[in-house]
Amino acid sequence: MITIETAPIAGQKAGTSGLRRKTRDFMEPRFLENYIQSILNAIGGAKGKTFVIGGDGRYFNADAIQTILRMAAAQGADAAIVGQNGLLSTPAASHLIRLNKTDGGFILSASHNPGGIDEDFGLKFNMPNGGPATEAVTNEIFAQTQNLTSYQTMESPAVDLATRGQTSLGDMAITIVDPVADYAALMQDLFDFDAIRSLFEGGFRMAFDAMHAITGPYATTILEDTLAAPKGTVRNGIPLPDFGGGHPDPNPIWAKELMQTMMADDAPDFGAASDGDGDRNMIVGRGAYVTPSDSLAVIAAHAHRAPGYAKGLAGVARSMPTSAAVDRVAAAKGMGCFETPTGWKFFGTLLDAGKVNLCGEESAGTGSDHVREKDGLWAVLMWLNIIASTGQSVADLMTDHWQTYGRNYYSRHDYEAVDSAIANTLMDDLRAKLPTLPGQTVAGLTVSGADEFAYDDPVDGSHTSGQGIRVMFDAGARVVLRLSGTGTQGATIRVYLERLEEDPGKLHQDAETALADVINAANQIAEIADRTGRAAPDVKT
Ligand code: VG1
Ligand code: CO
């Protein structure tokens, strides 16, 4: 073991999901080592512990894993379980942490952010329950980064990550595992694979876009090799260090090719995509894009059709900016329903306590208590199970859903790489005027309430404030504004827009049209165009 002197590096503070920076920042001397040491210090050291290690395969993935292995081995860790070639999707890593009853895991990913030496890299620590470090642990890691004086590592040649089986580093045992096998077995336990296989054997066609990211091998094994989907169902299925130069974010903007395929006359029956690290999903039927908020609500209504959820759901949880569509299903079915801050780390206590077994976010994250992360392929398989069990198309499922529960029209507008000072002032000024808003009429909508979201965790009692500004209007309309916590450049302002429609004759409008008044109201209240100088958002999802 060697001890290397170091000094704190400013700003090593995790955002919504771990620490994300430009890849070159992570490659700076001591940057990665400092952060790993801070994590190990925050959890009481590595001695005697077992960790799961893997990432989404982006540039610097394998190098970072070697650094973690050396530091863990030098500091007395018992064992490491590493995905072959350093690959593990985020949900598969969460599953391995739980399955092997380990002490946590290191996940290397900047998720939906582009990869490559000039793009983004990230690292996050997950806890023994398989979920992202809680706010308390995240804060302790940050405190450690600010007081660091040294780290411990060892000198050794690189561990061979390509060969499955047992190896070691110093006294630490290392198992290189098939990244897919245990995860695929878990999916087989949860879903009716026979029914889904019959669907494909009956000629059902699907397009799955892995976006050159981590889900390629998972989707190929599960969809094509196990469920008999035709070869070629999985597109862009080989993970690349730069994701083929793309932006591995599964939404209609970044998964444009898939959208074109699904909107064409000869479209397949079903389309789906996942993100860089495999925890997000996009669901699209022939000619029918499903918003993530609606997807969550549909799953809540139909989850009992999948064998793993046959007993029904105890409760559901959604992040605050996610639409209230799932709340309406929960109310109708008598399920518990919770509203949490943005980020999967806030679902962990509710899942562990058995209060909820389905969670979701408007940002294309859906998952259940089978792991403690959102899970892209899980959501896709859930939809396939629902389609196989109901015999309905995606479009028909959506129409039925809206007729039963009403439709929460929804859109998110992102203003990216805004000057941080401008974005912060916009939020500060908006916060200051919240008390004056109720009763005012803006763009024809009357404000019924306005506040800044704070959360009291009903399980561990922790309090989290400053989680987004929300303005509620009469008739079920709402605007939410918050600043992104995953970007690496300037500030991203996210504007979340929603309006409930219960008139059966108005359930099939274009979302942006249906939300026109809400969009105008948001812009007037927050003065977005004036302050940012942007006439329109960069991305609408
Ligand atoms: C975004 C999403 C949030 C999600 C987070 C991590 O955070 O809005 O819902 O949990 O990314 O997703 P933010 O702070 O930029 O809005 V992922 O796929 O990076 O693990
Ligand atoms: Co992700």
Side-chain angles (χ1 to χ4, degrees), residues 20 90 109 111-112 275-280 374:
R20 290 192 195 171
T90 291
S109 172
S111 189
H112 55 285
D275 71 332
D277 63 332
D279 58 0
R280 296 189 179 201
K374 54 191 189 274

Side-chain angles (χ1 to χ4, degrees), residues 103-357:
D103 300 287
F106 293 85
I107 301 178
L108 302 116
S109 172
S111 189
H112 55 285
N113 299 21
I117 190 163
D118 291 314
E119 297 294 349
D120 293 351
F121 193 78
L123 171 62
K124 68 174 180 167
F125 182 74
N126 278 30
M127 314 267 284
N129 75 345
T134 57
E135 277 291 87
V137 173
T138 303
N139 291 337
E140 179 56 27
I141 295 170
F142 180 55
Q144 291 288 340
T145 67
Q146 295 174 298
N147 293 304
L148 206 65
T149 55
S150 67
Y151 65 86
Q152 281 91 47
T153 187
M154 63 191 286
E155 276 167 4
S156 74
V159 174
D160 171 16
L161 303 179
T163 311
R164 274 186 229 166
Q166 292 296 325
T167 175
S168 64
L169 182 60
D171 293 333
M172 182 174 80
I174 299 176
T175 313
I176 308 289
V177 299
D178 176 349
V180 177
D182 288 323
Y183 176 84
L186 175 64
M187 293 301 114
Q188 195 145 8
D189 283 348
L190 298 175
F191 299 110
D192 187 346
F193 270 33
D194 290 339
I196 302 174
R197 195 179 298 109
S198 299
L199 192 67
F200 282 119
E201 284 168 352
F204 185 86
R205 287 187 308 139
M206 172 178 181
F208 180 91
D209 192 343
M211 305 188 86
H212 300 291
I214 191 71
T215 44
Y218 294 86
T220 305
T221 299
I222 294 172
L223 298 174
E224 295 186 4
D225 301 346
T226 312
L227 293 171
K231 290 277 170 230
T233 295
V234 178
R235 304 167 175 204
N236 303 321
I238 311 281
L240 298 174
D242 67 348
F243 307 123
H247 199 134
D249 195 351
N251 62 42
I253 304 297
W254 298 116
K256 207 160 144 208
E257 272 174 44
L258 179 66
M259 282 302 281
Q260 281 164 354
T261 302
M262 295 309 299
M263 298 302 145
D265 289 342
D266 60 345
D269 300 284
F270 186 60
S274 190
D275 71 332
D277 63 332
D279 58 0
R280 296 189 179 201
N281 72 89
M282 179 170 113
I283 301 295
V284 53
R286 182 185 293 147
Y289 169 69
V290 182
T291 69
S293 293
D294 275 349
S295 173
L296 178 66
V298 169
I299 292 174
H302 292 276
H304 61 275
R305 299 177 186 282
Y309 306 86
K311 282 190 292 193
L313 303 173
V316 296
R318 63 165 171 85
S319 67
M320 182 276 282
T322 303
S323 94
V326 72
D327 303 32
R328 304 176 67 76
V329 177
K333 297 201 171 237
M335 300 169 189
C337 185
F338 297 84
E339 185 178 40
T340 59
T342 296
W344 214 261
K345 59 187 160 194
F346 294 102
F347 293 133
T349 54
L350 296 169
L351 290 164
D352 286 349
K355 286 185 179 295
V356 307
N357 27 29

Side-chain angles (χ1 to χ4, degrees), residues 343-398:
W344 214 261
K345 59 187 160 194
F346 294 102
F347 293 133
T349 54
L350 296 169
L351 290 164
D352 286 349
K355 286 185 179 295
V356 307
N357 27 29
L358 173 69
C359 307
E361 295 193 277
E362 52 65 42
S363 53
T366 330
S368 87
D369 54 2
H370 67 292
V371 291
R372 291 294 179 275
E373 288 279 5
K374 54 191 189 274
D375 189 342
L377 264 176
W378 174 90
V380 173
L381 291 166
M382 178 61 96
W383 268 89
L384 284 169
N385 201 139
I386 293 169
I387 291 167
S389 146
T390 59
Q392 284 185 289
S393 70
V394 172
D396 289 347
L397 281 163
M398 292 320 302

